[in-house]
Amino acid sequence: MKNISKEDYLSAIYKLRDEAGEIKPNLIAENLEISAAAVTDMLKKLNKDGYVRYQKYKGIKLTPKGEKYAISMIRKHRLWETFLFETLGMPWEKIHNEAEKLEHSSSDELVDKLEEFLNFPEFDPHGYPIPDKAGNIPKQKQVIALSDMNKNEKGKISRISDFKSELLVYTKRQGLNIGEKIFIKDKLEFDGSVVININNKEVSLSKKIASNIFIEKD
Amino acid sequence: MKNISKEDYLSAIYKLRDEAGEIKPNLIAENLEISAAAVTDMLKKLNKDGYVRYQKYKGIKLTPKGEKYAISMIRKHRLWETFLFETLGMPWEKIHNEAEKLEHSSSDELVDKLEEFLNFPEFDPHGYPIPDKAGNIPKQKQVIALSDMNKNEKGKISRISDFKSELLVYTKRQGLNIGEKIFIKDKLEFDGSVVININNKEVSLSKKIASNIFIEKD
DNA sequence: TTTAATTTTTAAGTTTACTTAAATTTATAA
DNA sequence: TTATAAATTTAAGTAAACTTAAAAATTAAA
């Protein structure tokens, strides 16, 4: 058994709405690596407990209570990531999984102290905004997936998806770091892959990879 | 359900042997606040998995594998306590429970980095020694429970049991801090309570409380 | 040393969060 | 529009870690 908690479901739902734009049982199941049936079960409970509004076959929506909960988990996650990376110097591709565990094991009081110690950071090491104590999320400049940009456009890397450590290892090896300036040299219609210039180097990225890198356009 | 893990059982067993001097199912149950029947169940499993040597009605003993595991959990616990107290400034009576959760959610790699960040502390805020990476435990000067000392003896406080936050709040309010010098002014035969001098103040402590305060004798 | 009290174990049952397989509903395509 | 495919839900069952109550073993006391 995987024993995934209420918190994980709520975070997953929040992130799906935020990043994929839609919330479906199958997507939740995929995200949490459990069966769709398990998701149905839990949705019923979350509905009963007032964390989501759920009508079978129809829709899934976080209630204010559920959203508050989700944001507080995301806050914990991103603060821990920041601590692990900035303070302890852990490798950037490992902090996501480690923070995933810590976020369930720390009180609000602890996390507030941690935030203070870190001097109230606004973004985590992968470029995600960190909600403050009240749940407000720092505004990020308009960002767009690298895969949605066109030839000759330019900008700088502001976020890289953190859910697959393999991706983070890869992007790091290619020199794709947060803050780095990029220029789109070419985009192949054939498979959607892009060729970019970064640090005077030319790097080619598949569409899938490019869709996980977010750019702040000039 | 409380869902206590293998780790908790092993730590509890280790500490019982270390502090109470004997390991009995009932003591484990009391420590973890679960039924004795649950303990029997788990002992069978720990035996099967090679963490303890267990013969029913007869005895419970950690195997080297179990001991190694327990020490690693204790190391995590005490390093987290040190971090929470020293680095984040959390109240001293709260860090035990918080560390209790964190210890299950951190990899060895993380804890090694944490230890380095904390500059390899040897004792935690309650005066317990912190095992190093290899499992070696810093030698503490000979300590004795305050309840076992006699009139006119003196020494300094080197450890206070951390399992009841109520006790920690109490001792702190009485000015009983690690490192403080004490002198036993009187000991009542009636109920075993002791009267001590600390910081030019006179404090009276019940036998039960005194048995949780450990002194390094002069 | 026999009885009584205590401790430990066994037995039976509960809860939670899953699983797979079958049934149902919704979406897509001929 | 109807058939087929895909997504979702229901049903039935499992595993882990508990619970209480009863039974068995050990320890303490008369």
Side-chain angles (χ1 to χ4, degrees):
Chain A
M1 215 190 307
K2 296 211 62 196
N3 239 70
I4 282 162
S5 66
K6 180 178 78 183
E7 282 114 17
D8 294 301
Y9 283 88
L10 294 175
S11 298
I13 291 169
Y14 184 93
K15 280 192 230 155
L16 280 173
R17 192 199 54 188
D18 218 45
E19 291 170 33
E22 51 173 8
I23 311 169
K24 292 182 169 188
N26 253 354
L27 292 174
I28 299 173
E30 202 180 310
N31 234 268
L32 301 176
E33 298 181 292
I34 52 175
S35 71
V39 173
T40 305
D41 269 12
M42 183 58 89
L43 285 174
K44 284 180 189 164
K45 186 175 314 170
L46 291 174
N47 184 68
K48 185 169 70 64
D49 296 348
Y51 292 99
V52 303
R53 184 70 44 82
Y54 163 62
Q55 294 163 285
K56 57 187 185 176
Y57 294 113
K58 296 303 180 198
I60 301 163
K61 206 169 151 334
L62 285 173
T63 62
K65 176 176 167 185
E67 173 144 349
K68 194 177 156 197
Y69 211 113
I71 289 177
S72 115
M73 294 313 294
I74 285 169
R75 166 176 161 79
K76 288 180 184 181
H77 181 91
R78 294 180 184 168
L79 282 169
W80 276 120
E81 276 202 351
T82 305
F83 169 75
L84 294 171
F85 186 72
E86 300 287 343
T87 309
L88 298 192
M90 285 191 76
W92 117 297
E93 70 276 9
K94 289 188 179 165
I95 59 178
H96 176 76
N97 289 330
E98 201 81 47
E100 194 95 300
K101 294 179 286 170
L102 292 170
E103 69 188 76
H104 299 299
S105 312
S106 33
S107 67
D108 290 343
E109 183 181 2
L110 161 51
V111 169
D112 291 346
K113 294 267 188 190
L114 184 64
E115 178 185 37
E116 191 186 335
F117 169 74
L118 295 169
N119 207 18
F120 301 92
E122 291 205 291
F123 296 94
D124 76 13
H126 302 119
Y128 288 84
I130 302 175
D132 73 11
K133 204 168 160 171
N136 302 311
I137 299 173
K139 273 276 167 309
Q140 209 161 9
K141 297 227 181 68
Q142 189 66 36
V143 298
I144 178 174
L146 178 50
S147 55
D148 291 334
M149 290 177 74
N150 299 307
K151 192 170 172 175
N152 292 326
E153 292 183 322
K154 53 187 182 172
K156 81 176 190 228
I157 301 177
S158 81
R159 201 166 82 211
I160 300 182
S161 286
D162 66 354
F163 70 101
K164 274 286 176 203
S165 88
E166 196 190 6
L167 174 70
L168 294 170
V169 172
Y170 178 80
T171 53
K172 186 181 176 188
R173 199 168 55 220
Q174 301 289 334
L176 304 171
N177 298 316
I178 305 291
E180 212 79 68
K181 288 192 176 133
I182 59 118
F183 171 74
I184 313 247
K185 236 179 153 180
D186 205 0
K187 183 170 179 178
L188 307 196
E189 208 185 308
F190 176 58
D191 69 343
S193 64
V194 294
V195 180
I196 65 172
N197 241 132
I198 181 164
N199 244 331
N200 299 319
K201 250 183 55 192
E202 193 169 281
V203 176
S204 171
L205 302 166
S206 76
K207 181 175 183 176
K208 181 90 188 261
I209 287 176
S211 72
N212 282 287
I213 298 174
F214 298 87
I215 307 295
E216 189 179 305
K217 274 166 87 173
D218 280 353
Chain B
M1 217 189 307
K2 294 211 64 192
N3 239 69
I4 282 161
S5 66
K6 180 178 78 182
E7 283 114 13
D8 293 301
Y9 282 88
L10 295 175
S11 298
I13 291 169
Y14 184 94
K15 280 193 231 155
L16 280 173
R17 192 198 53 188
D18 219 45
E19 291 172 33
E22 52 173 7
I23 311 170
K24 292 183 169 186
N26 253 356
L27 293 174
I28 300 172
E30 201 180 313
N31 235 269
L32 301 176
E33 298 182 291
I34 53 175
S35 70
V39 173
T40 305
D41 270 10
M42 182 58 88
L43 284 173
K44 284 181 188 163
K45 186 176 314 168
L46 291 174
N47 183 68
K48 185 169 70 64
D49 296 348
Y51 292 100
V52 303
R53 183 73 43 83
Y54 163 64
Q55 293 163 285
K56 57 185 183 177
Y57 294 111
K58 297 302 180 201
I60 302 163
K61 207 168 153 328
L62 285 173
T63 62
K65 176 176 166 186
E67 174 144 347
K68 194 176 157 198
Y69 212 113
I71 288 176
S72 116
M73 294 312 296
I74 285 168
R75 166 175 160 78
K76 288 181 183 180
H77 181 90
R78 295 179 183 169
L79 282 169
W80 276 120
E81 277 202 351
T82 305
F83 169 75
L84 294 171
F85 186 73
E86 300 287 344
T87 310
L88 298 191
M90 285 191 75
W92 117 296
E93 68 276 12
K94 288 188 179 165
I95 60 179
H96 176 77
N97 289 330
E98 201 81 46
E100 195 95 300
K101 295 178 285 172
L102 293 170
E103 69 188 75
H104 299 299
S105 312
S106 34
S107 68
D108 289 344
E109 184 181 2
L110 161 52
V111 169
D112 291 347
K113 294 266 188 191
L114 184 64
E115 178 185 38
E116 193 186 334
F117 169 74
L118 294 170
N119 205 20
F120 302 93
E122 293 204 291
F123 296 93
D124 77 12
H126 303 120
Y128 288 84
I130 302 174
D132 73 11
K133 204 169 159 168
N136 302 311
I137 300 174
K139 273 277 169 309
Q140 208 161 11
K141 298 227 179 70
Q142 187 67 35
V143 297
I144 177 173
L146 177 52
S147 55
D148 292 333
M149 291 177 72
N150 298 309
K151 193 168 170 175
N152 292 327
E153 291 184 324
K154 53 188 181 171
K156 82 174 188 229
I157 300 176
S158 81
R159 200 167 82 212
I160 300 182
S161 287
D162 66 353
F163 70 100
K164 274 285 177 203
S165 88
E166 196 191 5
L167 175 70
L168 294 170
V169 171
Y170 179 82
T171 53
K172 187 181 175 191
R173 200 169 53 219
Q174 301 289 335
L176 304 172
N177 300 315
I178 305 292
E180 212 78 67
K181 286 190 177 136
I182 59 118
F183 171 74
I184 313 246
K185 236 177 151 182
D186 205 1
K187 184 170 178 178
L188 307 196
E189 207 186 308
F190 177 56
D191 67 344
S193 63
V194 294
V195 180
I196 63 172
N197 241 130
I198 180 164
N199 243 332
N200 299 319
K201 248 183 58 192
E202 193 168 281
V203 175
S204 171
L205 300 167
S206 77
K207 180 173 183 176
K208 180 91 187 259
I209 287 177
S211 72
N212 283 288
I213 298 174
F214 297 89
I215 306 296
E216 191 178 301
K217 274 165 86 172
D218 280 351

